[in-house]
Amino acid sequence: MHAIANSPPPSGSSSATNEILAELIASLFLSRPSLNSSSNIAIDRVERSVPSRVPYPSRGKLGFDVSQLPAEIICEIFERFMEDDSVHPVFDDTPRPLVSYTCRSDPTKLGQICSRWRAVARSGKNPLDLEMDYNSGKRQHDVSSEAQILRSFIPHLTRWRKFRFNVSVKVLGLLYALIDSPHKPLILESVDLDFHDLLVHRQAEEGVDAIWKYFHSCPTLHKVVWHTRELRRFPQHAPFQLTHVHARFSVSIDDIMSFLPQVPLLQELQIESLRLYSQKNPSIVSPLLLQRLRLLRIRSHEIPATSFIASLTCPSLESLAIIHSNYLGQSNQDLQELPRFLRRSGCHLQKLDFRDAMDTDEELKRCLSDSPLRSLKSLYLSVDHVSDQMVEFLSSKSAAGEHEFAPFLEYLRLP
């Protein structure tokens, strides 16, 4: 976002003061095109409302000299200034900058203050983290503005580090042109690309696939989010160096197990929809070893997530989430797969999130009792019924005052 604001973030009361000043100054720019004496006096009044121990920027006779504000406060002002006016939105055809339908702020005003503010506003040669989204509640989508914003970023493709684009398939041509562009994403680390209207433009699927292949070819790419509109199964051209994979499309256990050997460096795996039945049910000779996996999150429907973890060994696992639902309204999981998985992995699990439509917690209590969870720090359990015996089991302490179930437990939630 900025070139010179690289100082450490303020702490304590300084941070609170920065927020107060930023919100006030940003509001002044929203209501007035330029600074004048009345706005300086207003800032001077707010100065007296913040803690006196906080050092202030140099002042003129009428208030702050805004050209001398610390860079971190200027950045706060930029962020406050660009926030949506969702409390009092104005929708009309008045020409306005390309911010959003609910943001009336003109970002060029901030650059008119002084050369120092313009320098802070520029990204210089720093890496760019980009995000483009749209209001899903609006019937109309400003594709021309979307294209104009995207067109302004494309010449800086060499500096793209992370991007999350939720855009229309109508800007597909701009992204497709990147394939033959002289600009290359030299430092790209993270890609989250979603075409929200692709379902009604299926003829564009081939182009979308070509764009994904292009970004997958970046040797620096480590994190991806694949959406259901773009993919129906794991891509065959996925880069081996991926460390974070978030699959937001329906998969089967077969699909996952065929994909995982392609990404030996995987650290985080999130499956949003384990719901497809496998074509076959082969006997597991040896569970797949995922040496580096630290986080595993599975949202399963009908297909039990415990059937998937029965195929894995994860010695570095720290966080596990199993969120399961069943059409019949009752659990169909073999919960004893959890203690078998944890013993086989020998991991030091710190966070467990378990949700299931169970009408009794006896089986869950037996599962937790058998599981090696001594290192657990956070536990989230959501079942249809939590008995007093379960609460006592989870909260009981030894004579020395330690939790018997998990001595390092810091967070327990039983919704």
Side-chain angles (χ1 to χ4, degrees), residues 8 46 49 102 104 128 152 177 196 200 202 229 243 245 256 270 299 310 324 338 397:
V46 167
S49 69
T102 59
R104 303 284 298 175
L128 296 175
S152 68
H196 57 78
V200 295
R202 280 301 181 189
R229 286 180 282 262
T243 58
V245 170
I256 307 174
Q270 299 187 61
R299 185 183 291 274
H324 182 66
L338 179 59
K397 296 184 178 181

Side-chain angles (χ1 to χ4, degrees), residues 46-65:
V46 167
E47 174 195 1
R48 292 192 292 270
S49 69
V50 297
S52 58
R53 63 179 178 275
V54 180
Y56 296 106
S58 58
R59 298 175 39 185
K61 294 181 179 179
L62 296 176
F64 284 120
D65 179 358

Side-chain angles (χ1 to χ4, degrees), residues 254-297:
D254 280 352
D255 293 338
I256 307 174
M257 297 305 295
S258 298
F259 165 73
L260 289 177
Q262 302 179 45
V263 284
L265 304 181
L266 194 63
Q267 297 179 19
E268 294 190 7
L269 175 62
Q270 299 187 61
I271 305 294
E272 289 297 332
S273 185
L274 177 62
R275 65 166 69 240
L276 299 182
Y277 288 93
S278 298
Q279 298 296 322
K280 52 186 177 179
N281 295 307
S283 58
I284 302 172
V285 178
S286 177
L288 179 65
L289 174 63
L290 299 178
Q291 186 69 48
R292 300 168 183 255
L293 194 70
R294 296 183 291 101
L295 181 147
L296 177 60
R297 183 178 185 272

Side-chain angles (χ1 to χ4, degrees), residues 338-369:
L338 179 59
R340 286 194 285 266
F341 165 69
L342 294 176
R343 288 197 190 94
R344 179 172 65 250
S345 298
C347 58
H348 298 286
L349 197 68
Q350 297 185 22
K351 183 177 182 179
L352 176 61
D353 181 346
F354 185 89
R355 310 180 206 181
D356 199 340
M358 304 176 64
D359 56 5
T360 176
D361 58 15
E362 285 300 319
E363 186 179 0
L364 180 59
K365 180 180 177 181
R366 184 168 65 253
C367 166
L368 296 176
S369 300

Side-chain angles (χ1 to χ4, degrees), residues 72-350:
E72 61 266 20
I73 296 183
I74 299 177
C75 292
E76 287 275 359
I77 294 170
F78 291 162
E79 293 178 5
R80 300 281 177 158
F81 185 75
M82 301 305 294
E83 288 179 351
D84 283 358
D85 307 322
S86 54
V87 178
H88 303 290
V90 179
F91 303 102
D92 55 35
D93 296 327
T94 304
R96 54 184 177 271
L98 301 175
V99 179
S100 79
Y101 276 108
T102 59
C103 183
R104 303 284 298 175
S105 305
D106 181 352
T108 61
K109 289 182 180 179
L110 298 176
Q112 297 170 8
I113 305 302
C114 63
S115 60
R116 184 166 182 271
W117 280 48
R118 288 191 291 275
V120 174
R122 295 190 187 100
S123 62
K125 296 183 179 181
N126 294 338
L128 296 175
D129 298 341
L130 309 175
E131 181 172 343
M132 290 180 62
D133 207 342
Y134 80 110
N135 185 349
S136 59
K138 297 290 293 179
R139 292 184 177 181
Q140 294 183 342
H141 182 62
D142 192 351
V143 178
S144 61
S145 297
E146 188 174 73
Q148 187 172 342
I149 294 171
L150 189 58
R151 195 177 289 114
S152 68
F153 284 127
I154 286 177
H156 305 280
L157 182 63
T158 56
R159 296 194 287 126
W160 289 16
R161 178 173 59 185
K162 304 175 184 177
F163 76 81
R164 188 183 80 84
F165 290 166
N166 187 347
V167 294
S168 170
V169 74
K170 296 176 183 178
V171 300
L172 180 62
L174 284 172
L175 289 171
Y176 192 83
L178 294 177
I179 297 176
D180 299 320
S181 170
H183 307 290
K184 301 300 178 183
L186 304 178
I187 61 172
L188 188 63
E189 297 177 2
S190 177
V191 173
D192 181 346
L193 180 60
D194 186 15
F195 294 94
H196 57 78
D197 53 356
L198 183 59
L199 293 178
V200 295
H201 297 90
R202 280 301 181 189
Q203 69 276 11
E205 287 183 348
E206 185 175 346
V208 172
D209 187 59
I211 292 172
W212 267 113
K213 286 182 179 179
Y214 172 76
F215 287 121
H216 286 164
S217 67
C218 300
T220 55
L221 184 64
H222 294 290
K223 302 179 181 181
V224 291
V225 180
W226 292 318
H227 293 265
T228 186
R229 286 180 282 262
E230 286 74 41
L231 298 172
R232 293 188 180 90
R233 61 184 305 162
F234 288 99
Q236 297 181 350
H237 48 76
F240 81 96
Q241 77 273 8
L242 290 180
T243 58
H244 296 65
V245 170
H246 192 169
R248 301 184 63 89
F249 53 93
S250 296
V251 298
S252 69
I253 294 177
D254 280 352
D255 293 338
I256 307 174
M257 297 305 295
S258 298
F259 165 73
L260 289 177
Q262 302 179 45
V263 284
L265 304 181
L266 194 63
Q267 297 179 19
E268 294 190 7
L269 175 62
Q270 299 187 61
I271 305 294
E272 289 297 332
S273 185
L274 177 62
R275 65 166 69 240
L276 299 182
Y277 288 93
S278 298
Q279 298 296 322
K280 52 186 177 179
N281 295 307
S283 58
I284 302 172
V285 178
S286 177
L288 179 65
L289 174 63
L290 299 178
Q291 186 69 48
R292 300 168 183 255
L293 194 70
R294 296 183 291 101
L295 181 147
L296 177 60
R297 183 178 185 272
I298 313 162
R299 185 183 291 274
S300 54
H301 309 271
E302 313 303 320
I303 309 300
T306 52
S307 298
F308 172 49
I309 65 173
S311 307
L312 303 177
T313 299
C314 306
S316 301
L317 195 67
E318 298 176 357
S319 177
L320 174 64
I322 295 177
I323 305 169
H324 182 66
S325 62
N326 191 27
Y327 178 74
L328 299 177
Q330 59 186 18
S331 179
N332 61 343
Q333 300 200 91
D334 179 6
L335 294 190
Q336 288 306 304
E337 287 293 353
L338 179 59
R340 286 194 285 266
F341 165 69
L342 294 176
R343 288 197 190 94
R344 179 172 65 250
S345 298
C347 58
H348 298 286
L349 197 68
Q350 297 185 22

